[in-house]
Amino acid sequence: MDSLRFKSARILVVGDAMLDQYWFGDADRISPEAPVPVVRITHQENRLGGAANVALNIASVGAKPSLLCVVGEDKAGHELETLALQSGINPLFQFDPELTTTTKLRIVARQQQMVRCDFEALPHQEILTQHLSLFDKILAEHQILLLSDYGKGGLSHITHMIEQARAKNIPILVDPKGSDYERYRGATVITPNRAELQQVVGCWSSEQDLTDRAQSLRHHLGLKYLLLTRSEEGMTLYSDAGTLTVPTQAREVYDVSGAGDTVIAVSATMLAIGSDITEAIQTANRAAGIVVGKLGTASVSYEELFGND
């Protein structure tokens, strides 16, 4: 795969960006105050999370992502912007002075996550309106629109965004959240995992039942594709052509957090350089198999994915 093709890919990522904080340490005693381990912190890391991790995965394989999101006018929000710039992402941040930037703090001892603390709030409507105005101005500069929904309020105007992208014939990929999939109507691809799809279509009793439910949802929402990520079972693509299942390529599963980000990011990148959907999901599946072998939210590089060709 020619790396130069990736450098021309322009992908607009819109959604809920967050800061992933990791505090690493040792735990070798129980607290005298409560039956919990005492973790002596030895070092800390800040990483891009949520929609920002999606953008990082795009940048890591050599493409050019722009990240449009609302964050707080706080230390975490500015740290996100700095990390994005350092990672080759074009940060189009709307800063809300009354918002607390979504932050997930994970305390890890001996490679085992002990606890996660979440800090979050919903952005204000005035900032979201500015956010939408900027979206309308820059959409046409991109080949792909990727909507990363984490249910934190950053995609309140998602219906308008999908309509605008469809009007410009720009493919739309959505990583969904929650049970209201009507808001994704008209997208090109949605990429739910098993739990997310089950929340919408109910439990299935067999592979054929799953296919029937997935295809029915796809037709109902006017989607071209539905890509179901299935963890150790790989992923299945539902389309007018039928179903295509790609088995997992993970050699060792260490941490599945962020794997969905990698799947949609690499799929979008492959489509942006002109690959068909089959090649796109096969490459994304390979990328996911690499990233689950890493701790926490992570990305895959061009060299890991394609070697040095």
Side-chain angles (χ1 to χ4, degrees):
M1 183 69 67
D2 185 358
S3 62
L4 293 177
R5 294 171 62 191
F6 289 85
K7 293 180 180 179
S8 63
R10 298 291 184 272
I11 301 165
L12 178 58
V13 179
V14 187
D16 300 307
M18 58 192 72
L19 184 66
D20 281 339
Q21 293 187 319
Y22 291 85
W23 291 7
F24 297 96
D26 294 321
D28 52 18
R29 65 189 180 96
I30 300 299
S31 170
E33 304 167 351
V36 295
V38 175
V39 181
R40 182 174 58 84
I41 303 300
T42 56
H43 67 285
Q44 304 175 26
E45 288 183 18
N46 289 334
R47 301 180 187 177
L48 297 167
N53 186 52
V54 174
L56 174 62
N57 273 270
I58 293 170
S60 295
V61 295
K64 303 295 183 184
S66 294
L67 175 60
L68 179 61
C69 60
V70 177
V71 297
E73 184 73 73
D74 53 17
K75 183 177 180 181
H78 289 288
E79 175 69 7
L80 267 175
E81 185 179 42
T82 298
L83 289 173
L85 284 167
Q86 292 173 346
S87 302
I89 299 166
N90 176 28
L92 303 172
F93 284 16
Q94 304 284 301
F95 289 95
D96 184 344
E98 299 181 30
L99 177 68
T100 297
T101 299
T102 298
T103 303
K104 294 181 179 180
L105 168 61
R106 298 170 176 88
I107 298 177
V108 182
R110 299 187 179 183
Q111 306 302 309
Q112 176 67 46
Q113 185 176 145
M114 309 298 288
V115 68
R116 192 182 91 182
C117 305
D118 288 7
F119 308 86
E120 60 187 56
L122 295 176
H124 293 79
Q125 191 60 43
E126 180 181 351
I127 297 295
L128 288 171
T129 300
Q130 297 174 18
H131 180 68
L132 187 60
S133 177
L134 180 56
F135 171 87
D136 289 339
K137 291 179 181 178
I138 65 174
L139 175 61
E141 302 169 9
H142 300 84
Q143 298 147 310
I144 297 285
L145 172 62
L146 195 164
L147 301 170
S148 180
D149 193 353
Y150 274 80
K152 309 302 182 186
L155 287 173
S156 296
H157 299 291
I158 191 171
T159 301
H160 173 87
M161 293 176 177
I162 291 174
E163 289 174 351
Q164 291 299 304
R166 283 176 61 90
K168 294 177 171 59
N169 293 316
I170 296 173
I172 308 141
L173 284 77
V174 181
D175 190 356
K177 192 73 171 181
S179 58
D180 180 17
Y181 276 28
E182 284 292 333
R183 62 204 305 262
Y184 308 132
R185 178 177 293 277
T188 309
V189 189
I190 64 171
T191 62
N193 60 32
R194 286 180 298 193
E196 290 166 342
L197 184 64
Q198 185 175 327
Q199 189 176 358
V200 178
V201 303
C203 297
W204 47 86
S205 58
S206 65
E207 193 67 25
Q208 184 59 53
D209 187 23
L210 167 59
T211 297
D212 293 342
R213 291 170 186 256
Q215 292 286 37
S216 176
L217 177 65
R218 188 180 65 82
H219 288 298
H220 173 70
L221 296 177
L223 309 172
K224 190 171 184 179
Y225 305 106
L226 188 154
L227 178 62
L228 175 63
T229 58
R230 310 178 67 172
S231 190
E232 72 279 357
E233 296 177 0
M235 57 183 69
T236 300
L237 181 73
Y238 301 92
S239 69
D240 286 343
T243 63
L244 172 65
T245 296
V246 183
T248 183
Q249 294 190 19
R251 293 179 293 274
E252 179 182 0
V253 176
Y254 187 74
D255 191 337
V256 298
S257 59
D261 294 344
T262 299
V263 168
I264 196 168
V266 174
S267 296
T269 304
M270 296 301 293
L271 292 174
I273 66 170
S275 298
D276 61 27
I277 190 67
T278 300
E279 182 181 16
I281 67 167
Q282 288 174 338
T283 306
N285 185 58
R286 191 163 70 250
I290 296 169
V291 84
V292 296
K294 302 179 180 182
L295 173 65
T297 49
S299 60
V300 58
S301 69
Y302 175 89
E303 289 73 24
E304 288 175 307
L305 197 51
F306 299 109
N308 296 310
D309 55 342

